[in-house]
Amino acid sequence: MSCVHYRFQSRLTYDSLQFEGLNITVGELKRQIMRRERLKFCQLKISKAQTDEEYTDDDALIPKNTSVIIRRVPAAGLKSSNRRFVGHQAGPSAKSSQTGDSSLLSLEQLLKTENLAEAKASEEDKLKAMMYQSSLCYYSSRAAALLRTSASGGAQGFPAASCWRWTTQTERES
């Protein structure tokens, strides 16, 4: 039995794939790796481990006892599902909350909503409500009131550190 040693670019160790004969085609190697690793909805790019030369033709032959590096690539025609949050941007969702669209929930209503993911509101308002709800159980009622005013737009962001010190000192005294 012959074998090809392969590893994914993100892994440190090599795995071996056994086959019959002296060579294996790139296409057959891809099919066997996808079946073995249970991969779906992606394409594989294979390159030699020593020279970083990429195999582009599926009919190209890979000799036995060769080490290759596998890279996963999203399948053609499929959109990437990973989305990243990029800071504060005044996009269409932020503009719709400022113009007062009647179909969107207000921030006060969002603060009381349990399922924020399905609520009809701008992303910015959903994030403010989520931050308020997640921190509510950690703070006293006085600090929660300060958070509520900051989340509803009374002040930009969270209260300053001096406000937190004042609330904790007054709570200790009472």
Side-chain angles (χ1 to χ4, degrees):
M1 283 248 155
S2 303
C3 69
V4 170
H5 306 285
Y6 72 94
R7 77 172 177 90
F8 285 93
Q9 188 175 11
S10 59
R11 293 186 188 168
L12 297 176
T13 59
Y14 281 90
D15 293 319
S16 296
L17 184 74
Q18 295 185 350
F19 61 92
E20 293 290 328
L22 299 175
N23 303 312
I24 187 170
T25 63
V26 173
E28 182 61 27
L29 180 64
K30 287 180 183 180
R31 281 190 290 281
Q32 288 188 16
I33 290 173
M34 288 183 75
R35 187 178 327 125
R36 185 174 186 184
E37 300 288 332
R38 298 181 181 154
L39 299 175
K40 296 180 182 177
F41 309 118
C42 69
Q43 294 177 348
L44 300 179
K45 289 193 176 192
I46 299 177
S47 59
K48 291 182 182 178
Q50 291 81 10
T51 62
D52 246 2
E53 177 186 339
E54 186 176 327
Y55 292 103
T56 55
D57 186 19
D58 280 352
D59 294 329
L61 296 175
I62 299 175
K64 66 179 183 177
N65 298 325
T66 302
S67 297
V68 294
I69 296 177
I70 311 294
R71 291 177 182 86
R72 280 179 262 199
V73 179
L78 292 177
K79 293 182 179 178
S80 178
S81 63
N82 62 353
R83 297 178 183 167
R84 295 182 183 166
F85 176 74
V86 182
H88 172 68
Q89 293 180 346
S93 63
K95 288 179 185 174
S96 64
S97 70
Q98 292 171 356
T99 59
D101 190 359
S102 62
S103 65
L104 298 178
L105 293 175
S106 70
L107 186 57
E108 290 297 323
Q109 292 169 330
L110 275 177
L111 293 177
K112 299 172 187 170
T113 304
E114 289 184 17
N115 189 356
L116 291 173
E118 295 177 1
K120 289 186 78 177
S122 68
E123 287 297 314
E124 185 176 340
D125 289 345
K126 285 182 184 180
L127 285 171
K128 286 180 182 178
M130 183 263 317
M131 293 295 290
Y132 169 73
Q133 288 178 355
S134 66
S135 60
L136 188 60
C137 64
Y138 295 107
Y139 301 113
S140 67
S141 60
R142 173 85 173 126
L146 285 172
L147 280 174
R148 192 175 316 112
T149 56
S150 68
S152 63
Q156 291 296 327
F158 289 101
S162 60
C163 295
W164 288 110
R165 279 187 237 117
W166 178 79
T167 56
T168 55
Q169 288 173 355
T170 57
E171 287 170 2
R172 286 184 207 146
E173 293 169 1
S174 57

